[in-house]
CSV table of all heavy atoms in Angstrom, one decimal:
chain,number,residue,atom,x,y,z
A,428,ASP,N,-26.3,26.6,-5.6
A,428,ASP,CA,-27.1,25.7,-6.5
A,428,ASP,C,-26.6,24.3,-6.5
A,428,ASP,O,-26.8,23.5,-7.5
A,428,ASP,CB,-27.1,26.2,-7.9
A,428,ASP,CG,-27.7,27.6,-7.9
A,428,ASP,OD1,-28.6,28.0,-7.1
A,428,ASP,OD2,-27.3,28.4,-8.8
A,429,GLN,N,-26.0,23.7,-5.5
A,429,GLN,CA,-25.6,22.3,-5.5
A,429,GLN,C,-25.3,21.9,-4.0
A,429,GLN,O,-25.2,22.8,-3.1
A,429,GLN,CB,-24.3,22.1,-6.3
A,429,GLN,CG,-23.1,22.9,-6.0
A,429,GLN,CD,-21.9,22.7,-6.9
A,429,GLN,OE1,-21.7,21.5,-7.2
A,429,GLN,NE2,-21.2,23.7,-7.3
A,430,ASP,N,-25.2,20.6,-3.8
A,430,ASP,CA,-25.0,20.1,-2.4
A,430,ASP,C,-23.7,20.6,-1.9
A,430,ASP,O,-22.7,20.9,-2.7
A,430,ASP,CB,-25.0,18.6,-2.5
A,430,ASP,CG,-26.4,18.0,-2.7
A,430,ASP,OD1,-27.4,18.8,-2.7
A,430,ASP,OD2,-26.5,16.8,-3.1
A,431,PRO,N,-23.5,20.7,-0.6
A,431,PRO,CA,-22.3,21.3,0.0
A,431,PRO,C,-21.2,20.3,-0.2
A,431,PRO,O,-21.4,19.1,-0.4
A,431,PRO,CB,-22.6,21.5,1.4
A,431,PRO,CG,-23.8,20.5,1.7
A,431,PRO,CD,-24.5,20.5,0.5
A,432,ALA,N,-19.9,20.8,-0.2
A,432,ALA,CA,-18.7,20.0,-0.2
A,432,ALA,C,-18.4,19.5,1.2
A,432,ALA,O,-18.3,20.3,2.1
A,432,ALA,CB,-17.6,20.7,-0.8
A,433,VAL,N,-18.4,18.2,1.4
A,433,VAL,CA,-18.0,17.7,2.7
A,433,VAL,C,-16.5,17.4,2.8
A,433,VAL,O,-16.0,16.5,2.2
A,433,VAL,CB,-18.8,16.3,3.0
A,433,VAL,CG1,-18.6,15.8,4.4
A,433,VAL,CG2,-20.3,16.5,2.7
A,434,PHE,N,-15.9,18.3,3.5
A,434,PHE,CA,-14.4,18.2,3.6
A,434,PHE,C,-13.9,16.9,4.4
A,434,PHE,O,-12.8,16.5,4.1
A,434,PHE,CB,-13.8,19.5,4.4
A,434,PHE,CG,-14.0,20.7,3.5
A,434,PHE,CD1,-13.8,21.9,4.2
A,434,PHE,CD2,-14.1,20.7,2.1
A,434,PHE,CE1,-13.9,23.2,3.4
A,434,PHE,CE2,-14.2,21.9,1.4
A,434,PHE,CZ,-14.0,23.1,2.0
A,435,THR,N,-14.8,16.4,5.2
A,435,THR,CA,-14.3,15.3,6.1
A,435,THR,C,-14.9,14.0,5.7
A,435,THR,O,-15.1,13.1,6.4
A,435,THR,CB,-14.7,15.6,7.6
A,435,THR,OG1,-16.1,16.0,7.6
A,435,THR,CG2,-13.9,16.7,8.2
A,436,ASN,N,-15.3,13.9,4.3
A,436,ASN,CA,-15.9,12.6,3.9
A,436,ASN,C,-14.8,11.5,3.8
A,436,ASN,O,-15.2,10.4,3.5
A,436,ASN,CB,-16.6,12.8,2.6
A,436,ASN,CG,-15.7,13.3,1.5
A,436,ASN,OD1,-14.5,13.5,1.7
A,436,ASN,ND2,-16.2,13.6,0.3
A,437,GLY,N,-13.5,11.8,4.1
A,437,GLY,CA,-12.5,10.8,4.1
A,437,GLY,C,-12.6,9.8,5.2
A,437,GLY,O,-12.1,8.7,5.2
A,438,ALA,N,-13.4,10.2,6.3
A,438,ALA,CA,-13.7,9.3,7.3
A,438,ALA,C,-15.1,8.7,7.1
A,438,ALA,O,-16.1,9.4,7.3
A,438,ALA,CB,-13.6,10.0,8.7
A,439,ALA,N,-15.2,7.4,6.8
A,439,ALA,CA,-16.5,6.9,6.5
A,439,ALA,C,-17.4,6.8,7.7
A,439,ALA,O,-16.9,6.6,8.8
A,439,ALA,CB,-16.3,5.4,6.0
A,440,SER,N,-18.7,7.0,7.4
A,440,SER,CA,-19.7,7.0,8.5
A,440,SER,C,-20.8,6.0,8.3
A,440,SER,O,-21.8,6.0,9.1
A,440,SER,CB,-20.3,8.4,8.7
A,440,SER,OG,-20.9,8.9,7.6
A,441,ASP,N,-20.8,5.3,7.2
A,441,ASP,CA,-21.9,4.3,6.9
A,441,ASP,C,-21.8,3.2,7.9
A,441,ASP,O,-20.8,2.9,8.5
A,441,ASP,CB,-21.8,3.8,5.5
A,441,ASP,CG,-20.4,3.2,5.2
A,441,ASP,OD1,-19.4,3.9,5.0
A,441,ASP,OD2,-20.3,1.9,5.1
A,442,THR,N,-22.9,2.4,8.0
A,442,THR,CA,-23.0,1.4,9.0
A,442,THR,C,-21.9,0.3,8.8
A,442,THR,O,-21.5,-0.3,9.7
A,442,THR,CB,-24.4,0.8,9.1
A,442,THR,OG1,-24.8,0.4,7.7
A,442,THR,CG2,-25.4,1.8,9.6
A,443,GLY,N,-21.7,0.0,7.6
A,443,GLY,CA,-20.7,-1.0,7.2
A,443,GLY,C,-19.3,-0.7,7.7
A,443,GLY,O,-18.5,-1.6,7.9
A,444,SER,N,-19.0,0.6,7.8
A,444,SER,CA,-17.7,1.0,8.2
A,444,SER,C,-17.5,1.3,9.7
A,444,SER,O,-16.4,1.2,10.2
A,444,SER,CB,-17.3,2.4,7.5
A,444,SER,OG,-17.3,2.1,6.1
Side-chain angles (χ1 to χ4, degrees):
D428 299 330
Q429 55 181 321
D430 292 343
V433 183
F434 287 162
T435 51
N436 57 3
S440 57
D441 58 284
T442 52
S444 300

